[in-house]
Amino acid sequence: MEKMVEKILYTRRKKHPHPPHLTLHTVSRGDRFLVIFFCQLCLMLLKKLTSSNSNTNGDMESYFPIRPECQELVPKTRFKPKVGKTLSERRWNAAFDTNGRLDIAGVLRRIQRGGIHPSIKGVVWEFLLGCYDPNSTTEERGALRQNRREQYASWKEECKKMAPIVGSGKFVMSPIVTDDGKPIEDNGIEQPESDSDSDKKVTQWKLSLHQIGLDVVRTDRSLIYYENEANQAKLWDVLAIYTWVDDDIGYVQGMNDICSPMVILLEEEADAFWCFEHAMRRVRENFRSNATSMGVQSQLGILSQVMRVVDPKLHQHLGKSFHHSKILKNVNESTTFLRDNLHESEGLDGGEYLFAIRMLMVLFRREFSFIDALYLWEVMWAMEYNPNMFADYASNGANEVVTTKLSKKVLQQYGKYERKNVKKGRTDQKSLLAVFLVASVLETKNKKLLHEAKGLDDVAQIMGDITGSLDAKKALTEALKIHKKYMNKASGSSSGSTYTWSFGLL
């Protein structure tokens, strides 16, 4: 302490050379007290900040512990909360006024700088995904939450009547009905008869239950959380009930990867369901498929348009690789079918980017560690945030069209990416940042792809090798640069409309 004080006094002597012998022992008692108090205060603050930062980094492992036998198999986690950048619980609580209204602009700035601390991820995600209006009061959100929980309980009870295993803490991994809806007797699952009017819908739903179960046991297997069968059953219940509610698309593999974090982060099952349901609104169409196409195909086409503008050489090379490839190995039937159709039809764009299907459908869950993937999602959602989201979801209508120039204060309530699009006049809320994120990943592998990829198999292999080696923050930064480059090139080109017609970025 005395050395620190002497250093301060030495600095003071340099600025004020008189008196010439200013030391701790020659200053007045009052000055000495002030200097010592100042130094003690600095030490306390430094110790607190250092301790806080150390504890914050240590907390990561305790929030999402990995099974010991999987420690060496999972991708390395790069994200670590940083004091002053990451949205902490203290900052989050301070962002609400006395009535419970949220300063969303301040929250977005903090998330975009450093993500969200694990202790509050779930509740913050509910706002980022549009579950709640930041301008609502605490009382209003409480009433809405209660209504949603009651609605979920009603749906769950409805499903339980058709399949009593729902809500039992267990789940199925083998079929419980035949393709024509007849119960399979020897599986030990009680099944009441369904009403004739809804037999087809009920049969389709029951046929999906064992597939959900098979995917549940494969979901985030490295996490200790899913060693508990009750937690697996919670994930299964949420997916089963969502499949019943959204029978238009039903269950598709990959939904489990999106749902799992919500189940882990939100203790109340109903809250996890509604968070997942709102997340699915952003990517739902990616899971739609029929005899001729898959929903993600539109984003593949957009990716193709972007790469054609920002890196025409790589785009041309990937096109050649696609047209000279044979059917990819180890892909499911629907993906193979899509590939064949894209290969045969010049009218369908994006076939050369089939390797990106998984990235776009499950939002890079397989390319990053669990924690890094959560960080990536929340920063993406913050960047894409639109304050009209809640009102639009509540009305089930189109997004509000911006026809007047917004004030700077209102624009701060938009995410960084969405704000740029709104300024350019784009008013839809398609989740396109993921497309630019894929483009950023491609750019990091530009040289390797140009020199080593001779066919689509090679492209898939090179892109598959990125698992665990990507830095989410750098990838997002590069994605924004590519977005800016695309918009500048497209708007500056005399034929710019040919680049933007498909997704209205301009």
Side-chain angles (χ1 to χ4, degrees), residues 167-362:
S168 68
K170 298 184 179 298
F171 57 96
V172 296
M173 288 186 290
S174 58
I176 62 173
V177 294
T178 60
D179 290 342
D180 57 1
K182 294 181 180 178
I184 295 178
E185 301 292 343
D186 59 350
N187 62 11
I189 305 298
E190 180 186 354
Q191 296 180 67
E193 295 183 3
S194 60
D195 296 332
S196 58
D197 291 341
S198 60
D199 273 352
K200 186 175 181 181
K201 179 182 176 181
V202 172
T203 298
Q204 286 301 118
W205 177 70
K206 288 184 176 181
L207 285 170
S208 69
L209 296 182
H210 78 283
Q211 184 58 57
I212 295 174
L214 291 172
D215 288 342
V216 161
V217 296
R218 292 193 289 256
T219 304
D220 294 321
R221 286 178 294 184
S222 63
L223 298 180
I224 289 177
Y225 179 86
Y226 283 119
E227 286 186 324
N228 187 334
E229 186 183 10
N231 292 333
Q232 289 183 319
K234 179 182 175 183
L235 175 60
W236 185 84
D237 282 344
V238 170
L239 289 168
I241 294 166
Y242 177 82
T243 303
W244 173 249
V245 174
D246 186 9
D247 61 304
D248 181 37
I249 290 181
Y251 176 75
V252 181
Q253 190 176 55
M255 291 181 179
N256 53 306
D257 289 308
I258 296 175
C259 185
S260 174
M262 284 75 170
V263 168
I264 295 173
L265 294 172
L266 294 163
E267 184 176 354
E268 179 64 39
E269 185 179 307
D271 297 342
F273 170 87
W274 285 108
C275 192
F276 169 62
E277 191 269 344
H278 278 69
M280 283 299 298
R281 295 187 189 203
R282 305 172 68 92
V283 296
R284 179 176 178 271
E285 291 305 312
N286 285 352
F287 291 92
R288 186 187 294 278
S289 62
N290 54 42
T292 59
S293 66
M294 293 176 65
V296 75
Q297 179 184 315
S298 63
Q299 288 196 323
L300 295 178
I302 294 170
L303 177 60
S304 178
Q305 297 282 352
V306 170
M307 292 303 298
R308 185 179 301 169
V309 175
V310 300
D311 195 339
K313 186 177 181 180
L314 180 58
H315 173 74
Q316 185 179 25
H317 181 76
L318 292 174
K320 289 180 180 178
S321 298
F322 169 69
H323 289 295
H324 288 86
S325 290
K326 295 181 178 180
I327 295 177
L328 272 173
K329 298 176 182 179
N330 300 322
V331 294
N332 60 45
E333 292 180 2
S334 59
T335 304
T336 304
F337 184 84
L338 173 60
R339 183 196 181 286
D340 291 342
N341 277 272
L342 286 170
H343 180 77
E344 295 169 4
S345 174
E346 295 181 359
L348 294 176
D349 200 5
E352 61 269 54
Y353 296 97
L354 277 172
F355 57 83
I357 284 180
R358 187 181 74 182
M359 296 181 190
L360 293 170
M361 287 189 72
V362 299

Side-chain angles (χ1 to χ4, degrees), residues 391-399:
D392 181 64
Y393 286 165
S395 64
N396 291 318
N399 296 318

